[in-house]
Amino acid sequence: MSRFRLRREHAPLAALVALAAALRIPGLGYGLPFSLLNPDEQSIVPRAWEIVHGGGLDPAWYDYPSLLFYVLAPFQALADEPSYGAARAVAAVFGIGGVAAAWWLGRSAYGALAGLAAGAAVAVAGVHVAYSHMAVTDVLLTLLVTVGLALLVHGRLEWAAAAAGLAASAKYPGILVAVPIAAVGWGQWRRLGIAALAAAAAFALTSPFVLVHPGRAWDDVSRVQRLAREGWLGFEGDGPAPVAFFHRLWESLGPALVVALLGVALAARALVLNQHKLARSRLDPSLSSGRSAVPKEKVLIQHKVLAARADLALVGFGLVYFAYLATLGAHFDRYVLPLLPVLGALAGRSRRLAVATLVLLLVPLVWSIGDVRGLTRTDTRAVAARWLDANVPANATVAVDPSLAPVDAATVIRLELPGPGRPEDPRRDLARLRALGVDYLVLNGLVADRVLAAASRYPGAAALYLTAPRAAELVLDVEPGAGRRGPWVRVYRL
C-alpha cells in the first residue's frame, strides 16, 4: 500500500519530466556544427574543451565563474574539437532537472498541487525551454537557485547556503539566494555563520581561480555589469527595466503570470500576518527542521510554519532578484529564469490558484511547441555559411556582422556590435571597407533590424544597412521560410 502511495505521489513528477524532455531534446542539434543559438556558447564550450585537452584548470576568463566549465569539461574529453552538441545535451539535462527541482520546491512549500503548478510552469515556460537547448550558464543557475530555496523551505540553512554558493559559481547573481537565507535564519547566528562558510566553500571549490586572480576577475565582472547596466542593442525602446522584465515574464508564462502575481500578493499579505509563526519556528527546532517525525499535535502547527517560511523565502528572493533586474539596461529574457520556479510555486499557493495556473499554462505550452518545431529547421546563417565556403575565393577579404557562422577566408574583418555607450565602429562604411580591400560584406537581420529600429542612436551603422543595397552588388539573399529559420542574411560583393 505504501509503495502504491509512493508511486501515486510521484506520478506527477514523472509526467512533468516526460513533458520537459519532450520540449528540450528535439532541436538540440540546431545550426550545428555552427554555434548559432547563443554567442555565449562560443565563450564557454571551447574553454571547457581546453580544460581536458592540456589547457589547465584555469579558464583565464572571469565574465562568468567556472562551475559550468568544469561540469562540461568531462563531456568534451573524447572530442577532437569543442563539441557543442555534447554541451547542449548537458544543458538539456539541467533543464529537465530544473523542472524536477521546481516540483520539489512547490511541493515542499505549499503541497502537491503547488508542486505540479511550479513544475509545469518551468516545463512549458518559453525562455526555459529555449535556454535548455543552449550550453550557457542560465539554466544551471536556475536549477541551483531552485534547489537552494527548496532546502531553505525545509529549514536546512547550511545546505541551502551551499547551494547558493554553487549558484553563484554558475553565475554571480546566484549569491542573491543568501538574502532569503539570512531572513529565514535571522537570530540563529551560529547556523548562519556555518551557512556563510558553506557558501564560501562551495564557491571556492568550484570557481577557485576567481579567488586566485581577484584583480582580473573584478575587472571582468565590472565590465560585464557595466554593459548590463548601460543596456544592449535592441532594448532601446523597452522603457523602464521593471516594465521590460514583466514583459519578458509574460512572454514565458503568458496569462499564468497574472495568477502568479496574485499568489505573490497573498504570500506577502500572509507574511505580515504570520510573523509569530516564523518566530516560533526559530525557537523550536522540531518545527524548523521540516521533518514529519514530530508529535501529532504539532503537525498542523508545522504545516503553518512551513508555509510562513516558504512565503518569506520565495517572496524574499523574488523581491531582491527583481530589484537587481531593475538596475539593468540590458533586458535579456534569460535574466528572468530564476524567477520562474518561484512564481510557479506561488501560483500554486492555494488549490484554486493551482487549478487556474495549470489551465492557463496551456497557452505557453502551445508557444513552446511552436518554438521547438522551429529548432528542427535549418538556420539561414548555416545556409549562408555553406554558400560562402563554396563560392568565396580562399584569398578573399570578408567583412561580417556579429551573430554569423564563422567564415573561412584569408582575412575576416569582424564588425563591432553597436550598443548604448559604445563608440560606433568606423569600419561600418562602404568607402572605408573598400579602402581596406574588402571583397565581400555579410550582413544579417538579427543586427540590422535592431539597428534600424534605433537608427537615430546608431547613424553610422544604420547608414551601412541602408546604402549597401544601393551601392554594392547583392550576390546572396537568404530569407527565413521554406524550411529555414533565423534572420535574413545578405552577401554583397564590393
Side-chain angles (χ1 to χ4, degrees), residues 67 144 159-170 174-175 177 181 198-204 206-207:
L67 177 60
L144 293 169
W159 287 106
L166 292 175
S169 190
I175 197 58
V177 181
I181 291 174
F203 182 87
T206 52
S207 291

Side-chain angles (χ1 to χ4, degrees), residues 342-438:
V342 172
L343 291 172
L346 289 166
R349 195 177 183 279
S350 71
R351 183 179 183 84
R352 289 182 179 179
L353 291 180
V355 171
T357 298
L358 292 171
V359 172
L360 293 174
L361 286 174
L362 291 174
V363 175
L365 172 60
V366 172
W367 294 346
S368 291
I369 290 172
D371 291 342
V372 172
R373 186 181 295 116
L375 292 177
T376 63
R377 298 172 182 168
T378 302
D379 194 285
T380 52
R381 293 164 292 181
V383 175
R386 296 188 185 101
W387 185 92
L388 288 165
D389 185 54
N391 293 277
V392 171
N395 62 348
T397 297
V398 182
V400 298
D401 249 347
S403 301
L404 288 166
V407 175
D408 187 13
T411 303
V412 177
I413 296 176
R414 304 188 185 281
L415 302 176
E416 295 293 333
L417 182 71
R422 304 182 192 179
E424 290 206 68
D425 188 342
R427 299 171 300 175
R428 285 184 172 273
D429 177 82
L430 285 183
R432 180 70 179 272
L433 292 173
R434 288 189 171 106
L436 291 172
V438 171

